Amino acid sequence: MAEELALLVADVFEAAGALRRAGEALAGAEGQTQARWQLMSVVSEESLPVARAARRLGVARQGVQRIANELVRDGLAEFRDNPDHRTSSLLALTPSGRRALEAITARAEAAHRVMGEGIAQADLATLRALLRRLTEQTDQWAEAEAEAEAEAEAGTATGAEAGEAKRGTRSRAATDRLPE
């Protein structure tokens, strides 16, 4: 099982690289980058503070702030007042930003039809479900490991738990939180 999972991880990274290259080409055809495309997509349905957009993208806030500033500079997005937080503006697309996003999205839809040729829709749905499950379990494992490490560093863990945390193994409490 562990060996198959390791091979799957390698395959996912390879697929992610291929999809990133394709994404750069799709966005580049419209004068954008994949990073700008992703950020425009994240704020397309709802204006968000940069920090929340970064969390949704799973990347550092500083990088998202730089891209947000570029989008604003280029007239594709704007910062709006945030009624919930005076010092944290909301990033929103402008009409030009919406048009750019729509153009990239149309290119992506055409590319996805070609990329998905010969793959059954049911297979894609199954793969998506499995990847979501693997992602959730990986996140739960990482959270449990971080908690065990924090407990060990704080000195609240027992000697055995501290040793497990240092070796990268999980305590029984951390193991109990993982789904089967």
Side-chain angles (χ1 to χ4, degrees):
M1 170 87 151
E3 185 176 329
E4 277 300 313
L5 186 56
L7 292 171
L8 174 63
V9 169
D11 290 344
V12 167
F13 281 126
E14 186 176 352
L19 291 168
R20 256 191 311 280
R21 289 187 299 277
E24 284 295 343
L26 290 165
E30 297 297 330
Q32 302 301 319
T33 65
Q34 181 175 339
R36 289 167 63 115
W37 174 21
Q38 289 174 337
L39 182 54
M40 286 190 292
S41 183
V42 164
V43 300
S44 66
E45 292 183 24
E46 167 187 23
S47 302
L48 295 173
V50 168
R52 191 169 333 146
R55 279 192 300 276
R56 286 194 53 197
L57 291 167
V59 296
R61 185 201 56 78
Q62 295 85 348
V64 174
Q65 184 68 60
R66 180 185 56 77
I67 295 165
N69 292 342
E70 291 174 3
L71 291 172
V72 169
R73 179 197 68 212
D74 294 344
L76 299 171
E78 62 188 5
F79 289 113
R80 296 180 180 162
D81 290 337
N82 184 346
D84 297 328
H85 198 283
R86 288 184 311 193
T87 61
S88 180
S89 299
L90 298 173
L91 184 65
L93 291 183
T94 63
S96 294
R98 289 203 179 279
R99 284 190 298 277
L101 179 59
E102 288 168 5
I104 297 168
T105 301
R107 284 183 182 277
E109 288 172 358
H112 292 159
R113 281 192 293 278
V114 173
M115 290 177 201
E117 282 182 12
I119 301 174
Q121 190 165 346
D123 288 343
L124 289 172
T126 299
L127 180 57
R128 287 186 62 228
L130 287 170
L131 282 173
R132 282 193 306 271
R133 181 174 174 199
L134 178 60
T135 300
E136 288 170 11
Q137 289 182 201
T138 301
D139 286 343
Q140 289 170 354
W141 173 86
E143 288 171 15
E145 287 294 306
E147 287 174 15
E149 184 67 26
E151 289 172 1
E153 289 177 7
T156 59
T158 66
E161 289 172 328
E164 288 174 353
K166 287 186 183 216
R167 288 189 307 275
T169 57
R170 124 180 23 95
S171 68
R172 174 138 175 83
T175 304
D176 291 344
R177 288 188 290 266
L178 291 176
E180 294 188 23

